[in-house]
């Protein structure tokens, strides 16, 4: 029986050489294997007997059209960790397995978090701003061992952030998790109810929260007003979890604090948003994990899952199941 695979490609042309010959990668003969590579705008060209779709095109979410066109679809793999933009229930109802790229970008994001911490603790942002004004002001940087960190959300990304901060010598690391359990690299893991109390006890606050009804606006004014006068707040989760107007107000009140946002809500922020006027706020365009080599890493994960699919084995990173790792 012919195995038909459709790859929904990126419109920017970014590719991976590993996707050059999918059939050879999984040891399937040409007579048994067919691949289409299409842009999102070419979705209607997907063969109706396609059973596997690999979405490389970021926030693509035209699931209803895909299900209408490819009635034989059994597995959808997306180059994303967050799947809040997809109708997961609809896919489940259609009997389609959904897998994501959880784990692929974790280390790069954790490195970004470390950089955001150092931007504040070593006074680099202040030095950059002073350089523009052709002035210098002596300050004492903070040693990593003198710092303590609070990580809000202890999933794959949060746990990797803890590991990287631990390796960098951060003195104490506490996690916030819906159901607290002991985890490696955390000195303590507390329930979500402890957030308001804990946020003011830490120098470094890292949010890794996913988007959901439970996390929408969770880091609001009541929480943010408890930030230390000298602290750094870093968000690499989802922008919808933070009240950005309240954040701007608190940053304006804390000249010695810094905020680093890789995500906002909306993205990008409107040009008149007050956060743009905060000199102690750094906003990056949702790229903390987007290293050049990520496309090969994404392809490697998909190819391993395609091999498993052809062999009838369990797939990695199946959404709705305990994630399996290679």
């Amino acid at each position: 029986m012919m195995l038909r695979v459709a790859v929904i490609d990126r419109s920017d042309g970014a590719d991976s050489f590993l996707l050059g010959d999918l059939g050879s990668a999984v040891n399937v003969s040409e007579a048994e294997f067919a691949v289409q590579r299409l842009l999102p705008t070419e979705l209607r060209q997907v063969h109706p007997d396609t059973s596997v779709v690999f979405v490389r095109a970021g926030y693509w979410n035209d699931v209803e059209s895909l299900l209408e066109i490819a009635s034989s679809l059994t597995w959808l793999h997306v180059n994303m960790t967050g799947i809040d933009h997809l109708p997961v229930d609809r896919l489940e109802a259609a009997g389609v397995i959904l897998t994501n790229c959880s784990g692929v970008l974790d280390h790069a994001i954790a490195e970004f978090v470390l950089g955001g911490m150092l931007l504040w603790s070593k006074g680099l942002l202040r030095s950059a701003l002073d350089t523009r004004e052709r002035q210098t002001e002596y300050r004492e940087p903070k040693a990593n061992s003198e710092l303590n960190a609070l990580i809000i959300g202890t999933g794959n990304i949060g746990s990797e952030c803890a590991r990287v901060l631990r390796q960098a010598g951060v003195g104490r690391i506490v996690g916030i998790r819906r159901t607290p359990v002991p985890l490696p690299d955390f000195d303590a893991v507390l329930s979500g109810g402890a957030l308001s109390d804990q946020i003011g006890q830490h120098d470094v606050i890292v949010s890794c929260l996913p988007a959901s009804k439970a996390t929408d606006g969770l880091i609001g004014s009541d929480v943010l007003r408890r930030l230390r006068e000298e602290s750094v707040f870093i968000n690499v989760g989802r922008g919808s979890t933070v009240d950005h107007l309240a954040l701007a107000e608190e940053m304006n009140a804390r000249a010695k604090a810094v905020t680093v946002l890789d995500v906002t809500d909306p993205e990008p922020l409107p040009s008149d948003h007050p956060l743009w006027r905060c000199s102690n706020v750094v906003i990056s365009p949702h790229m903390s994990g987007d290293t050049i080599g990520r496309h090969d890493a994404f392809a490697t994960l998909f190819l391993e899952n395609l091999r498993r699919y052809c062999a009838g084995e369990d797939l990695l990173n199946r959404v709705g199941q305990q994630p399996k790792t290679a």
Side-chain angles (χ1 to χ4, degrees):
M1 181 176 178
M2 175 75 73
L3 172 61
R4 293 188 177 275
V5 177
V7 179
I8 308 300
D9 265 323
R10 298 169 57 97
S11 58
D12 62 4
D15 205 352
S16 168
F17 75 94
L18 297 174
L19 298 175
D21 188 356
L22 296 182
S24 295
V26 294
N27 195 28
V28 177
S29 69
E30 291 185 7
E32 301 173 305
F33 193 75
V35 180
Q36 287 179 288
R37 297 194 65 169
L38 307 166
L39 293 175
T41 55
E42 301 169 324
L43 186 65
R44 289 286 167 185
Q45 298 179 30
V46 171
H47 194 283
D49 292 335
T50 296
S51 57
V52 176
V53 172
F54 176 26
V55 178
R56 303 182 65 240
Y59 284 95
W60 175 93
N61 64 358
D62 197 2
V63 168
E64 288 295 342
S65 294
L66 178 62
L67 292 175
E68 176 188 338
I69 298 164
S71 58
S72 298
L73 183 67
T74 58
W75 168 38
L76 176 68
H77 181 80
V78 294
N79 265 8
M80 299 282 289
T81 297
I83 42 83
D84 48 286
H85 62 295
L86 293 173
V88 177
D89 291 344
R90 179 70 180 91
L91 288 166
E92 184 177 350
V96 177
I97 297 170
L98 175 63
T99 57
N100 66 5
C101 70
S102 178
V104 173
L105 304 179
D106 294 355
H107 188 71
I109 294 173
E111 290 178 332
F112 179 93
V113 166
L114 176 61
M117 182 190 81
L118 297 174
L119 186 72
W120 166 74
S121 64
K122 302 307 180 185
L124 295 174
L125 177 58
R126 182 70 262 164
S127 293
L129 294 172
D130 285 350
T131 299
R132 294 179 183 177
E133 301 299 323
R134 302 185 183 185
Q135 64 184 25
T136 57
E137 178 185 351
Y138 177 80
R139 300 179 307 282
E140 294 178 327
K142 305 176 190 304
N144 291 356
S145 60
E146 299 169 353
L147 303 176
N148 54 74
L150 180 70
I151 298 179
I152 309 168
T154 62
N156 287 352
I157 294 174
S159 293
E160 184 65 10
C161 288
R163 190 181 72 83
V164 168
L165 293 183
R166 178 71 74 199
Q167 289 179 336
V170 171
R172 178 173 170 80
I173 303 173
V174 174
I176 295 290
R177 179 185 175 94
R178 181 170 50 188
T179 304
V181 294
L183 293 172
D185 298 308
F186 288 91
D187 295 289
V189 178
L190 308 175
S191 68
L195 176 58
S196 292
D197 176 62
Q198 286 291 316
I199 200 168
Q201 299 184 37
H202 293 80
D203 311 292
V204 182
I205 297 91
V206 182
S207 179
C208 305
L209 292 172
S212 71
K213 291 181 180 179
T215 62
D216 188 29
L218 182 65
I219 305 176
S221 57
D222 290 344
V223 173
L224 292 168
R225 70 166 58 108
R226 296 171 181 263
L227 286 167
R228 285 183 172 180
E229 293 300 311
E230 292 190 51
S231 59
V232 58
F233 174 72
I234 306 167
N235 189 9
V236 290
R238 283 291 185 265
S240 60
T241 64
V242 177
D243 183 336
H244 289 83
L245 292 176
L247 180 60
E249 183 177 343
E250 298 305 328
M251 286 300 102
N252 279 323
R254 291 168 173 76
K256 295 183 179 181
V258 169
T259 279
V260 179
L261 301 176
D262 187 49
V263 290
T264 58
D265 186 24
E267 290 181 358
L269 286 176
S271 59
D272 61 349
H273 196 285
L275 275 173
W276 292 116
R277 299 191 292 273
C278 298
S279 61
N280 55 348
V281 173
V282 176
I283 300 175
S284 62
H286 204 153
M287 40 61 75
S288 61
D290 291 353
T291 58
I292 294 173
R294 73 189 185 282
H295 300 296
D296 289 343
F298 286 147
T300 297
L301 174 59
F302 173 69
L303 288 173
E304 171 58 18
N305 260 351
L306 186 60
R307 183 197 66 76
R308 288 168 177 256
Y309 180 86
C310 292
E313 301 174 7
D314 290 340
L315 302 184
L316 304 176
N317 291 353
R318 183 166 175 174
V319 173
Q321 292 189 349
Q322 191 69 19
K324 301 178 177 65
T325 56

